[in-house]
Amino acid sequence: MIYETDPYLMPYKEKIDERHRQIQKAFDKIAVNGSLSEGVNNHLYYGLHLEGDQWVFREWAPHANRIYLTGEFNNWKRTSSYELKPVGNGNWEIRVNSMFIHHGQLYRLFVEWSGGGGERLPAYVSRTVQDPETKVFSAQVWEPEHPYEWKCKRPAVKRNPLIYECHIGMSSEKEKVASFDDFRENVLPRIIDLGYDTIQIMALQEHPYYGSFGYQVSNFFALSSRFGTPEEFKHLVDEAHKAGIAVIMDIVHSHSVDNEAEGLGKFDGKDDLYFYSGPQGRHPAWGSRCFDYGKDETKYFLLSNCKYWMENYMLDGFRFDGVTSMLYWDHGLGKDFVGYGNYFNSGVDENAVTYLALANMLIREIDPDAITIAEDMSGMAGLAAPFETGGVGFGFRMAMGVADHWIKWIKEKSDEQWDMGEIWYELTNKRADERTISYAECHDQALVGDKTLIFRLMDKEMYFSMNVDSKSLIVDRGIALHKMIRLLTLATAGDGYLNFMGNEFGHPEWIDFPREGNGWSYKYARRQWSLSEPDYLRYKYLNDFDRAMVGLVKKESLLAVPPVLLTSDIQKHILIFERKDCIFAFNFNPTDSYTDYAFAAPEGEYQVVLDSDAKSFDGFARVRSGEIHVALQQKSENGNPQFDHSLYLYLPSRSAIVLKKL
């Protein structure tokens, strides 16, 4: 158990054991024949389904008095022939001959309850579309004559995923909402070329407001139609699998949009159908509804949602958004998580903990190699530890503090003030019983109101001095540090690495979705891929460096073993460490280069295989390409005392080299 490997958890042994028992009890209640997957099939029962020569529609609405199916097939009229009948336990059902309802037709529900009524979209709707004129969403019958036929199997397990985080809609260079086909034809080849082996896609669940980045979900089973059809998305997933790339989605189970016409708000007139009642059911910061994870119907709804996305779209896992908000009654707002007590006291929503554990069990039952990642800023102990050891069962957690610290160091200190010991500690300080995904920046740092690393390092100079012939010390510094920061983050990553699309080549400016404040412009809701192509712009060389560092880490399987510190020279701003058969040497000193810098190292011959200062990466070419160094049999007082050999290296200022043992 986790308290046996971490003595600081021993005071919470009883609480950890009780949590474990409650999760097992919930599993036993839902599972059929020992299988969660057999017990979780709400998406196959509810919603609209073609069964033989009949359309069958079912909905759970225990507080409704009447429910009508209205649509293009009956001129949107509420008629007795399209009225659902109660079938017990709050369930309603209607059967319609297949000749009356056809693929592509629009429909909605009209739900009546004591004292009112209104139009609603089905809770389990799997296809919605928005009218371009009225902006109203409707459900759409989706039963194509020629459904997509899968051609490729899921790719091999990704034990150390190299993740390319992306948003379909803003993936085009044109000022528009890009489609699944656009992404498959134009962006997927870039990802393959860069060497990433996992794609994490945002905003797939339907959301009324495009500018929410997909985090204000209304229809949990519906693929956002603004990007294309289910068949087009399946084609994208299939092509990624063909290239050996896993596809995971950002799944939002942390809250639901407050909308009633499109979402689950007051679905049958009751405010808390799927949500907590009263203030606890409303998120004070996000203006959204909070799920009641203790309610059976909510658990079945969300677990079925996981199964639906995995089986219907052949997804390889999920990154669960907003996990901190789920875990704590106060959503972690304005809270400093100091001390383990925060993870086991009355401030924890144990219902949410149980749900997340069940979700991980279900996902692994469907695909034992599935990737599950928790976005949690609280650092809850055991969140990414196996259930069998007292954990919640996530495969990975996001190392969110890494990106936060890079921003802090860049904002608050000049790089000559950076402390190599602090940097090493913050980048490698991870729980031994949990696996992590590190990143220097994700989509959060690219949003309007924030700044990407490249923008923080260069600011307005990006607009004037990104031509290779330009002379700018600010840009030279920014280019050098951008490469070093990303390489160091990847090289010290616990078990995986993430990059947001375009950041690999230092995409300029910010992300700002169309809104009233910017005249509904798409200018900043796109990616300017063409900047990374010409030889005369410096973006190309950042892109090339990203490809090289990802390729090296992937080829050598470097993330399979943890890094070992060789030396942390605070005075000279040098950081050197070993990972598997490679040595990473960073000189963050802004002015001083060091000749014959000696440090303790493992015995052997080493060849330079990556140099951030190489001319091919827009550097100053101060190190000879492919140079070989031999560790001499002499003890060095500089660095790790366990090694009785020493390496002597030339370390140019603001550069990093990687040496591979021959």
Side-chain angles (χ1 to χ4, degrees):
M1 300 295 280
I2 55 176
Y3 46 72
E4 294 172 335
T5 55
D6 183 352
Y8 289 103
L9 286 174
M10 192 55 74
Y12 309 100
K13 176 182 182 299
E14 185 176 335
K15 183 63 180 177
I16 293 169
D17 289 341
E18 175 59 25
R19 179 177 288 176
H20 188 81
R21 286 192 293 269
Q22 289 303 315
I23 295 169
Q24 185 63 55
K25 184 178 178 181
F27 175 93
D28 294 339
K29 182 178 180 180
I30 296 173
V32 174
N33 300 321
S35 165
L36 270 184
S37 186
E38 280 192 42
V40 176
N41 290 296
N42 278 28
H43 57 293
L44 301 179
Y45 179 79
Y46 295 110
L48 184 66
H49 302 281
L50 186 61
E51 297 181 2
D53 62 353
Q54 285 188 323
W55 286 102
V56 180
F57 179 84
R58 300 185 187 95
E59 190 62 79
W60 180 64
H63 306 103
N65 295 330
R66 279 194 176 124
I67 302 179
Y68 295 94
L69 189 64
T70 70
E72 293 179 325
F73 41 77
N74 64 2
N75 293 317
W76 301 97
K77 302 292 185 183
R78 283 176 262 164
T79 64
S80 58
S81 57
Y82 282 90
E83 183 178 352
L84 280 69
K85 306 300 180 187
V87 293
N89 298 317
N91 295 316
W92 299 75
E93 180 181 285
I94 186 173
R95 294 176 179 267
V96 180
N97 192 292
S98 60
M99 66 183 294
F100 297 119
I101 299 179
H102 305 292
H103 169 72
Q105 289 184 316
L106 305 181
Y107 68 99
R108 290 193 287 273
L109 300 177
F110 193 92
V111 182
E112 294 182 1
W113 56 82
S114 298
E119 285 193 316
R120 296 290 186 265
L121 296 184
Y124 287 81
V125 63
S126 59
R127 172 73 175 172
T128 64
V129 293
Q130 186 178 29
D131 186 286
E133 300 298 326
T134 65
K135 305 302 180 184
V136 172
F137 278 87
S138 297
Q140 186 176 41
V141 179
W142 199 258
E143 193 71 28
E145 184 178 353
H146 301 292
Y148 188 83
E149 295 184 8
W150 294 99
K151 301 174 183 63
C152 303
K153 296 180 180 180
R154 298 183 192 273
V157 59
K158 309 300 180 188
R159 300 200 183 280
N160 301 106
L162 299 165
I163 303 172
Y164 199 81
E165 182 189 33
C166 53
H167 183 284
I168 299 294
M170 57 170 288
S171 65
S172 170
E173 182 137 0
K174 296 178 181 177
E175 296 184 26
K176 66 171 188 175
V177 177
S179 68
F180 295 123
D181 283 347
D182 288 333
F183 189 94
R184 175 176 53 79
E185 294 167 4
N186 301 311
V187 183
L188 181 59
R190 290 179 175 273
I191 299 172
I192 295 170
D193 175 63
L194 286 167
Y196 291 87
D197 61 17
T198 303
I199 302 174
Q200 178 184 312
I201 307 180
M202 309 168 65
L204 287 177
Q205 294 168 293
E206 190 62 272
H207 46 291
Y209 179 46
Y210 184 49
S212 75
F213 230 142
Y215 292 126
Q216 291 271 349
V217 173
S218 54
N219 313 109
F220 288 79
F221 291 82
L223 181 73
S224 182
S225 60
R226 56 170 61 88
F227 308 134
T229 68
E231 275 60 42
E232 289 164 348
F233 179 56
K234 289 176 181 178
H235 191 186
L236 165 58
V237 174
D238 219 10
E239 285 294 304
H241 285 173
K242 182 180 179 181
I245 294 176
V247 181
I248 65 175
M249 71 176 277
D250 253 10
I251 197 164
V252 181
H253 284 178
S254 47
H255 63 137
S256 172
V257 72
D258 194 29
N259 300 33
E260 296 175 11
E262 299 93 355
L264 298 171
K266 291 188 177 179
F267 185 81
D268 60 358
K270 197 80 164 61
D271 194 47
D272 58 355
L273 188 64
Y274 290 97
F275 312 115
Y276 284 117
S277 58
Q280 198 60 58
R282 297 187 177 275
H283 200 291
W286 297 344
S288 53
R289 303 305 314 276
C290 300
F291 285 111
D292 181 348
Y293 303 103
K295 187 177 287 187
D296 286 346
E297 292 82 3
T298 301
K299 283 201 288 281
Y300 277 96
F301 178 82
L302 296 175
L303 289 171
S304 296
N305 193 235
C306 295
K307 183 175 180 179
Y308 168 82
W309 284 101
M310 287 196 74
E311 295 193 338
N312 196 54
Y313 293 109
M314 286 280 284
L315 295 180
D316 304 292
F318 304 97
R319 176 244 196 209
F320 279 74
D321 178 70
V323 168
T324 306
S325 179
M326 300 171 70
L327 292 174
Y328 305 96
W329 293 111
D330 62 6
H331 310 294
L333 297 172
K335 188 173 183 177
D336 290 325
F337 290 92
V338 179
Y340 279 7
N342 289 289
Y343 309 141
F344 305 105
N345 61 25
S346 59
V348 177
D349 181 355
E350 293 294 341
N351 295 328
V353 175
T354 296
Y355 163 68
L356 289 170
L358 293 175
N360 276 281
M361 292 176 184
L362 172 66
I363 292 164
R364 297 259 159 53
E365 187 179 319
I366 296 169
D367 177 10
D369 295 332
I371 298 168
T372 60
I373 306 170
E375 188 217 22
D376 168 46
M377 60 178 289
S378 76
M380 175 178 276
L383 188 64
F387 170 69
E388 294 75 17
T389 65
V392 179
F394 277 98
F396 303 88
R397 67 157 72 243
M398 301 293 291
M400 301 180 71
V402 172
D404 291 342
H405 276 94
W406 279 125
I407 292 171
K408 177 184 175 183
W409 293 322
I410 293 172
K411 281 177 64 176
E412 298 179 3
K413 300 177 181 179
S414 60
D415 46 310
E416 54 261 37
Q417 296 174 313
W418 291 358
D419 185 319
M420 296 298 104
E422 180 188 11
I423 288 177
W424 172 258
Y425 175 79
E426 295 298 349
L427 266 57
T428 60
N429 180 30
K430 303 172 179 74
R431 292 185 59 84
D433 59 356
E434 296 186 333
R435 310 185 79 219
T436 57
I437 305 291
S438 293
Y439 57 100
E441 54 186 346
C442 67
H443 71 273
D444 286 331
Q445 288 75 40
L447 289 169
V448 65
D450 205 339
K451 288 183 178 181
T452 59
L453 289 180
I454 200 81
F455 220 10
R456 288 186 184 280
L457 292 167
M458 300 182 189
D459 211 73
K460 66 180 185 299
E461 283 292 313
M462 287 193 74
Y463 297 120
F464 310 109
S465 304
M466 287 300 282
N467 189 296
V468 292
D469 295 327
S470 299
K471 303 299 180 185
S472 169
L473 293 177
I474 292 175
V475 171
D476 286 346
R477 171 183 180 268
I479 292 284
L481 289 178
H482 190 269
K483 290 181 286 188
M484 295 179 72
I485 288 170
R486 300 177 83 77
L487 177 61
L488 182 53
T489 303
L490 172 55
T492 57
D495 306 276
Y497 174 75
L498 177 143
N499 164 60
F500 179 68
M501 66 175 186
N503 285 358
E504 68 275 4
F505 66 84
H507 195 285
E509 300 176 324
W510 51 85
I511 298 168
D512 190 11
F513 285 91
R515 56 187 174 85
E516 188 175 0
N518 64 18
W520 303 104
S521 170
Y522 287 87
K523 181 179 180 181
Y524 298 109
R526 62 191 180 111
R527 297 281 90 178
Q528 300 179 61
W529 304 109
S530 61
L531 292 175
S532 67
E533 294 166 2
D535 291 341
Y536 58 82
L537 291 179
R538 305 182 80 168
Y539 299 102
K540 176 185 186 300
Y541 306 99
L542 292 177
N543 191 80
D544 292 346
F545 181 75
D546 198 85
R547 182 196 301 110
M549 74 172 192
V550 168
L552 174 65
V553 168
K554 188 176 178 181
K555 177 184 176 184
E556 303 296 334
S557 301
L558 294 181
L559 300 189
V561 297
V564 176
L565 181 65
L566 297 180
T567 186
S568 172
D569 191 326
I570 296 174
Q571 184 178 0
K572 294 182 177 178
H573 301 283
I574 288 174
L575 182 62
I576 304 176
F577 56 92
E578 176 195 29
R579 192 150 197 180
K580 205 174 179 182
D581 292 329
C582 290
I583 290 177
F584 293 79
F586 292 79
N587 179 7
F588 277 97
N589 198 300
T591 56
D592 295 344
S593 299
Y594 299 100
T595 304
D596 289 335
Y597 183 87
F599 61 95
E603 180 184 1
E605 292 187 358
Y606 297 86
Q607 184 172 24
V608 175
V609 291
L610 184 64
D611 173 18
S612 72
D613 193 49
K615 193 68 176 174
S616 57
F617 304 134
D618 195 25
F620 296 99
R622 290 170 289 177
V623 172
R624 285 197 295 270
S625 177
E627 195 169 50
I628 294 176
H629 298 265
V630 180
L632 302 180
Q633 191 172 1
Q634 60 184 54
K635 196 82 172 177
S636 174
E637 295 183 3
N638 182 21
N640 197 319
Q642 75 178 81
F643 301 113
D644 55 8
H645 282 65
S646 297
L647 268 177
Y648 289 79
L649 300 178
Y650 172 47
L651 300 178
S653 61
R654 280 201 187 120
S655 72
I657 60 172
V658 184
L659 304 101
K660 184 180 185 300
K661 193 171 187 178
L662 297 177

